[in-house]
Amino acid sequence: MVAAHPGHLAAAQASGRTGVFAAWKGRVRAALEVADTVKPTSAQAVADLKQLGLTPVLLTGDNSAVARAVAAEVGVAEVIAEVHPGDKVAEIQHLQRGGRAVAVLGDGVNDAAALAQADIGLAMGTGTDAAIAASDLTLVSSDLRAAGDAIRPARRTLRTISANLFWAFAYNVAALPSAALGMLTPMIAGCAMAFSSVFVVSNSLRLRRFMPLNR
């Protein structure tokens, strides 16, 4: 039986690292601290998601103290730690039953079930094949800011579609009675239809001007 100094382990976890002890002949000989490197852009990625009105949540199987230290570093307030892959699915289902739409960003085998359960699963292109196969969208970049860059044009596209549909229906609602009453000549009606098509196409082409932030 080998007993490790609890102070070393607590200090490592408090700083966002995992403590590993090496022992032989019944004595602890070395204490190692290992940690994943937080990308310099991760804090900005979290800030971008918050600007989009989203609530970032760190859902991980890592130790709670380590998870909270990392979350504090990147600006995530809500942390759910020490969960198995099946528990991740249960947590997502709990949020969905509360009426929340859930997007999951992951890259590991343990994230595959959560990616499949989410309303939209986003896998990192540098992640595992299992995560990519289970996701709805694969981000080619390993930069977490790509998540915000994927959501932003999607929202803009939906707004554009809604605007196009509104004007298309408004045109028909206004033009059909006028044509039925003989207030529109065929030439004017044809020009109006052509203008409607030009408007829809021009409005849609504005999406080409989208530029990712922070690049």
Side-chain angles (χ1 to χ4, degrees):
M1 198 68 166
V2 178
H5 196 292
H8 291 161
L9 183 60
Q13 292 176 345
S15 60
R17 299 177 175 86
T18 300
V20 179
F21 296 94
W24 58 90
K25 294 185 179 180
R27 291 182 57 191
V28 174
R29 307 286 181 170
L32 307 176
E33 294 183 7
V34 296
D36 292 326
T37 302
V38 177
K39 292 181 180 294
T41 57
S42 296
Q44 182 60 54
V46 172
D48 288 346
L49 294 175
K50 289 180 179 178
Q51 283 186 338
L52 290 170
L54 305 177
T55 303
V57 178
L58 179 58
L59 182 61
T60 177
D62 290 341
N63 176 274
S64 180
V66 173
R68 293 187 182 282
V70 172
E73 184 176 350
V74 298
V76 176
E78 189 172 347
V79 179
I80 304 173
E82 300 181 18
V83 290
H84 296 97
D87 297 327
K88 291 182 180 181
V89 173
E91 292 289 347
I92 294 170
Q93 290 174 334
H94 174 70
L95 293 172
Q96 291 171 329
R97 285 194 295 269
R100 300 172 71 176
V102 181
V104 171
L105 177 62
D107 63 355
V109 174
N110 292 339
D111 299 322
L115 288 166
Q117 175 61 41
D119 295 287
I120 178 170
L122 296 92
M124 306 302 295
T126 55
T128 62
D129 291 341
I132 293 174
S135 67
D136 301 297
L137 180 66
T138 300
L139 305 176
V140 177
S141 172
S142 61
D143 190 334
L144 293 177
R145 291 179 297 178
D149 289 338
I151 295 171
R152 198 171 289 107
R155 287 183 172 181
R156 186 176 298 181
T157 299
L158 286 175
R159 289 196 299 267
T160 300
I161 292 172
S162 298
N164 289 344
L165 288 174
F166 170 79
W167 287 111
F169 281 109
Y171 163 80
N172 285 288
V173 168
L176 286 176
S178 299
L181 295 173
M183 299 172 62
L184 289 178
T185 65
M187 182 175 292
I188 295 177
C191 291
M193 177 60 76
F195 174 77
S196 174
S197 299
V198 170
F199 171 81
V200 169
V201 172
S202 301
N203 192 38
S204 300
L205 286 176
R206 292 189 306 123
L207 294 171
R208 299 180 62 184
R209 294 185 296 177
F210 171 78
M211 294 293 293
L213 295 178
N214 307 305
R215 296 296 187 273

